Amino acid sequence: MSDNARQLDWEDVRYFVALSRHGRLSATARDLRVTHATVARRVTSLEAVLGRPLFERRADGYSLTADGSAFLREAIAMEEAATAALLHRDSGNELNGLVRLTAARALADNFLIDHLGGFHERYPDLDLELIGDNRVVSLARREADIALRLGSPKDSDLLARRLASIAFGLYAILTALKR
């Protein structure tokens, strides 16, 4: 195996493929949920390993060079092989075990309970414990595995993603008082 093959980093290749699809650092960074500097650094690293430029940097974005186009075919084959390997690994592995899901009481009672039937049918070997409580439980102390919250987490070590937006309304019925 050559020295270059030993230095080839799949993550660099993955970033290269994504940039070739998007053509712009910012769009690629958004797609991969990283900074544009990370994308640029990964592509530069790959170009250094291969010893040739893969993109022409232009004001309107990144365009593949002839070497980049040739390498893209190989990179896409690598991506397809990695995807196939993951699918093969995951086929036959049924989800099972206990998962603790915590959510605000109102969300658990008025929404989640009604929507978990399909989830149970799809994953019958998964035991889901729903904790409908307004107190904040600690994921770090394994008090729950997943927490649905009505706001951003304060703990920066947590992986968080907005699932939906909720609108609130306040309603009242006023009746005339008789004297």
Side-chain angles (χ1 to χ4, degrees):
M1 183 180 289
S2 71
D3 288 338
N4 284 349
R6 279 189 222 128
Q7 295 176 25
L8 188 64
D9 185 339
W10 161 244
E11 285 297 300
D12 292 347
V13 176
R14 190 171 71 88
Y15 281 69
F16 163 75
V17 171
L19 182 57
S20 70
R21 287 184 178 131
H22 294 288
R24 300 185 64 80
L25 287 177
S26 58
T28 305
R30 273 191 305 277
D31 182 47
L32 297 175
R33 295 186 175 137
V34 297
T35 65
H36 70 280
T38 300
V39 176
R41 182 174 38 82
R42 288 289 192 167
V43 170
T44 299
S45 172
L46 180 62
E47 289 175 328
V49 167
L50 297 176
R52 62 184 66 103
L54 301 173
F55 290 100
E56 291 179 22
R57 280 96 170 142
R58 298 180 177 171
D60 63 340
Y62 281 58
S63 176
L64 287 169
T65 63
D67 287 332
S69 293
F71 184 71
L72 181 61
R73 288 187 290 277
E74 301 299 325
I76 289 174
M78 289 174 68
E79 181 182 55
E80 289 171 352
T83 301
L86 288 175
L87 289 174
H88 178 71
R89 180 197 73 182
D90 290 341
S91 67
N93 286 345
E94 292 300 319
L95 293 178
N96 59 54
L98 175 65
V99 175
R100 290 183 183 93
L101 169 65
T102 180
R105 181 88 184 192
L107 183 60
D109 290 347
N110 298 318
F111 180 77
L112 290 176
I113 294 293
D114 295 335
H115 291 86
L116 289 176
F119 181 85
H120 178 66
E121 288 175 11
R122 185 170 180 186
Y123 303 104
D125 294 331
L126 195 64
D127 294 322
L128 183 64
E129 179 182 330
L130 180 59
I131 304 166
D133 196 349
N134 290 330
R135 87 181 164 89
V136 176
V137 299
S138 173
L139 297 178
R141 290 193 304 263
R142 304 283 294 158
E143 293 175 339
D145 300 301
I146 302 170
L148 294 179
R149 295 288 173 243
L150 300 175
S152 299
K154 305 297 184 241
D155 186 358
S156 63
D157 292 349
L158 298 176
L159 175 63
R161 182 173 56 176
R162 179 186 307 225
L163 297 177
S165 295
I166 299 175
F168 290 96
L170 181 61
Y171 302 91
I173 297 175
L174 301 176
T175 59
L177 296 175
K178 292 185 181 181
R179 290 188 181 224

